[in-house]
């Protein structure tokens, strides 16, 4: 989730997000929110070390733009509902909040509305 939204919000690529200590830290914090939400919902096969593994894997990859960034760049609708809104809602209904991802979701809705002014949001 974090790479998709953060590359759009900051209009950058994964390598630049990870090479900056501030954004790398934020990416990790967002990953931990997802992992903790999953664990809260009963998924116990994943622990916090997975975030570090994902960051290490991405550091070894060539720079790339995730699918949401490509959608944004080419003026296509972003899958905010499926990648952010629904998971945030499911976690919230189970009593777990994800404030960093909630903020990112709102930023993405702003950027999406700028590109698609006629789009309606709930």
């Amino acid at each position: 989730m974090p790479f998709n939204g953060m590359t759009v919000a900051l209009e950058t690529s994964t390598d630049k997000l990870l090479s900056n200590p501030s954004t790398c830290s934020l990416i990790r914090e967002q990953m931990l929110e997802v992992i903790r939400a999953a664990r809260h919902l009963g998924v116990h096969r994943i622990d916090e070390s997975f975030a570090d593994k994902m960051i290490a894997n991405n550091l070894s990859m060539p720079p790339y733009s995730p699918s949401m960034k490509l959608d944004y760049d080419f003026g296509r609708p972003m899958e905010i509902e499926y990648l952010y809104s629904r998971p945030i809602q499911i976690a919230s209904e189970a009593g777990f909040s994800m404030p960093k991802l909630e903020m990112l979701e709102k930023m993405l809705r702003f950027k999406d509305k700028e590109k698609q002014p006629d789009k309606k949001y709930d």
Side-chain angles (χ1 to χ4, degrees):
M1 288 172 71
F3 286 117
N4 272 288
M6 289 288 290
T7 54
V8 173
L10 297 177
E11 297 193 32
T12 193
S13 57
T14 55
D15 62 318
K16 291 179 181 172
L17 287 173
L18 293 177
S19 68
N20 181 293
S22 295
T23 51
C24 185
S25 175
L26 185 55
I27 289 284
R28 185 174 187 279
E29 292 166 13
Q30 291 173 349
M31 286 180 176
L32 291 176
E33 275 189 359
V34 174
I35 291 166
R36 290 172 184 150
R39 293 183 61 79
H40 185 82
L41 290 162
V43 179
H44 298 289
R45 296 179 309 261
I46 185 171
D47 63 26
E48 293 185 0
S49 67
F50 187 70
D52 296 319
K53 180 180 176 182
M54 292 300 299
I55 289 171
N57 286 347
N58 274 273
L59 283 168
S60 69
M61 296 169 58
Y64 70 95
S65 292
S67 62
M68 184 174 276
K69 178 70 162 78
L70 294 173
D71 288 342
Y72 178 78
D73 288 346
F74 290 101
R76 297 185 296 246
M78 293 185 287
E79 295 182 313
I80 299 168
E81 182 69 24
Y82 299 103
L83 291 175
Y84 290 90
S85 304
R86 285 188 183 182
I88 289 167
Q89 179 182 357
I90 291 167
S92 177
E93 289 170 356
F96 190 88
S97 72
M98 296 191 286
K100 288 178 176 48
L101 289 168
E102 289 172 18
M103 184 173 79
L104 181 55
E105 176 205 24
K106 288 175 175 62
M107 293 169 66
L108 293 169
R109 288 192 181 276
F110 173 85
K111 292 190 76 82
D112 197 41
K113 186 74 171 164
E114 291 290 302
K115 286 248 181 174
Q116 300 182 58
D118 295 331
K119 187 170 184 176
K120 303 284 189 245
Y121 286 107
D122 295 331

